[in-house]
Amino acid sequence: MAAPMFVPFYHRVADTHPNDWTISRTEFERHVDYCQSRFDMIGLDELQRRVDRKDSPCPSVTFSFDDGYAENGEFAIPLLIERGIPCVYFVAIEHIRSQTPFSHDVDAGVPLPVNTLAQIRDMADRGIEIGLHTRNHVDFSKVTDLQTVHHEITNATEELQNMIGQRVRYFAFPYGLPKHLTRVAIDAVDEAGMDGFCSAFGAYNTVGRDSFHIRRFHGDPCFARFQNWLSFDPSKLRSEPMIPYTIGHGESKQDYGNEEVEAKLTCEALIR
């Protein structure tokens, strides 16, 4: 079976201080209702299993969040927990530890609150997968020295595991565009013992590809655009940028559209 696997990402669910990285509570719940009624709701571990075993019987959705905004603990995460919907929640640990707002919020004149460590631990204890989003929300297109990469990923992974008392399995690149997905940073994710990394440039997950790279798209507040991403478009496979990297025992990986997969993945596959 070769149904596509979708991973939307969000940043902040709130009804105050709207901006480009915020979706309202009403619209987020609409996203959840729509996905839960039409797709398998799975975790990233199950997504990887389906990719590796080339067995994806039904289209699926996995919710994810980046950064770590405090308001997510007031509505969005409790909603997902109440419904038993898997979610991976990526945090920049120094912002959590020091309670420092993100620079992009400070620059916008609205220093929004970030999650506390107690909130993150509570999420983890209640079944939310906590992932790493670097230590300081680093732009790896501007950082190349090994010491900084090690500090932001390898050391940060161990520290986050100690903070929550659980293994950290996944990493999400800040900004997540091809230029940010550098070989040295991907190497560090592998060396840190994580199971995979997430991009954010807009792409599908399909069977038979390398599951170490998990592709995501924006959970767009415009519902029509969100629906469009959840309707499989084979042309997006052909236009997807290649992200070459090496993991494990020197095994070279390169992500690109697969013609066989593309032929099998049709809009009809979305009809359950």
Side-chain angles (χ1 to χ4, degrees), residues 72-125:
N72 295 331
E74 298 171 5
F75 177 79
I77 298 304
L79 175 67
L80 296 177
I81 292 172
E82 178 184 351
R83 298 195 186 188
I85 295 175
C87 171
V88 58
Y89 197 84
F90 294 102
V91 296
I93 64 171
E94 190 55 40
H95 290 273
I96 302 296
R97 193 198 319 273
S98 65
Q99 288 294 283
T100 304
F102 292 99
S103 59
H104 48 262
D105 295 320
V106 174
D107 293 343
V110 184
L112 296 166
V114 297
N115 289 118
T116 65
L117 178 55
Q119 287 176 319
I120 298 302
R121 286 173 172 166
D122 181 64
M123 289 182 195
D125 291 342

Side-chain angles (χ1 to χ4, degrees), residues 59-73:
S60 66
V61 167
T62 306
F63 282 102
S64 67
F65 283 79
D66 287 359
D67 291 353
Y69 283 99
E71 293 99 329
N72 295 331

Side-chain angles (χ1 to χ4, degrees), residues 131-189:
L132 180 65
H133 199 45
T134 72
R135 182 186 302 276
N136 294 292
H137 204 269
V138 167
D139 179 348
F140 284 111
S141 70
K142 301 176 181 177
V143 173
T144 56
D145 67 283
L146 289 175
Q147 184 175 358
T148 301
V149 172
H150 186 76
H151 182 66
E152 291 291 334
I153 298 178
T154 314
N155 288 347
T157 301
E158 183 177 356
E159 289 181 32
L160 181 55
Q161 289 177 157
N162 291 334
M163 289 164 69
I164 64 174
Q166 296 183 18
R167 180 176 172 237
V168 173
R169 301 192 293 175
Y170 300 104
F171 177 82
F173 276 89
Y175 312 103
L177 300 178
K179 68 179 181 179
H180 305 115
L181 310 178
T182 63
R183 283 179 180 265
V184 65
I186 296 173
D187 285 347
V189 174

